[in-house]
Amino acid sequence: MNNFTDILRAHHLKATPQRLEIANTLYSHGHVNIEDLYETMLKKFNSISLATIYKNINLMIENAFIQEVKIPNTKSVYELTKEAHSHLVCDNCGHVEDISLDLSAVSALASHSTEFEINKADLVFSGLCKKCQ
Ligand SMILES: [Zn+2]
Ligand SMILES: [Zn+2]
């Protein structure tokens, strides 16, 4: 198990049992939506509310410990912060996978043809995962 106590502290977050559980859940599952996170948390903290989880999640996002992945037409998932990457989402089972892609050429092309100053590119591919094909 990772020592998330120190990592949380490095992000100026107190390592509460709830935050450690969120960190471990994201670590072992990769990407988790709020409902699945709530279900997992309930097993350990049987009186925890969804509002408390959201409060922790938002604070952990603010402090860059975790990040939100916005997926079109479905709920966001959360993951531990790592270097910039794109995502593949399965239309059938909802599985989310990371892929590291260099988007600089695409961003440059988009910027040239629109005169937009691009700060960030989020790319989400959808389709069927290996298991669902
Ligand atoms: Zn699938
Ligand atoms: Zn990811």
Side-chain angles (χ1 to χ4, degrees):
M1 200 180 274
N2 267 16
N3 185 3
F4 285 118
T5 303
D6 291 342
I7 305 173
L8 280 162
R9 283 187 189 140
H11 286 84
H12 310 289
L13 291 161
K14 226 198 268 173
T16 64
Q18 289 86 352
R19 287 176 195 159
L20 286 169
E21 185 62 17
I22 292 173
N24 281 307
T25 304
L26 296 189
Y27 178 70
S28 51
H29 292 89
H31 306 84
V32 184
N33 70 32
I34 195 74
E35 276 167 18
D36 292 342
L37 186 61
Y38 184 42
E39 226 171 88
T40 308
M41 296 292 285
L42 273 179
K43 285 178 198 151
K44 274 222 166 149
F45 311 96
N46 51 27
S47 63
I48 198 163
S49 70
L50 195 55
T52 302
I53 295 176
Y54 266 120
K55 226 172 91 184
N56 276 299
I57 286 280
N58 288 331
L59 198 64
M60 289 161 98
I61 291 173
E62 263 171 48
N63 292 31
F65 178 74
I66 66 173
Q67 54 198 15
E68 179 179 5
V69 181
K70 291 186 175 128
I71 300 171
N73 306 318
T74 184
K75 283 179 214 76
S76 289
V77 292
Y78 302 94
E79 66 183 353
L80 296 174
T81 299
K82 47 196 141 174
E83 56 189 56
H85 59 277
S86 300
H87 291 96
L88 300 130
V89 181
C90 179
D91 288 330
N92 188 50
C93 70
H95 173 68
V96 179
E97 218 168 291
D98 289 339
I99 181 168
S100 197
L101 291 173
D102 182 0
L103 299 179
S104 54
V106 181
S107 295
L109 187 67
S111 170
H112 273 297
S113 50
T114 60
E115 290 183 3
F116 234 80
E117 187 189 306
I118 293 175
N119 299 320
K120 189 170 172 261
D122 279 323
L123 196 55
V124 177
F125 296 93
S126 61
L128 292 173
C129 75
K130 205 173 176 186
K131 271 190 220 157
C132 293
Q133 282 163 30

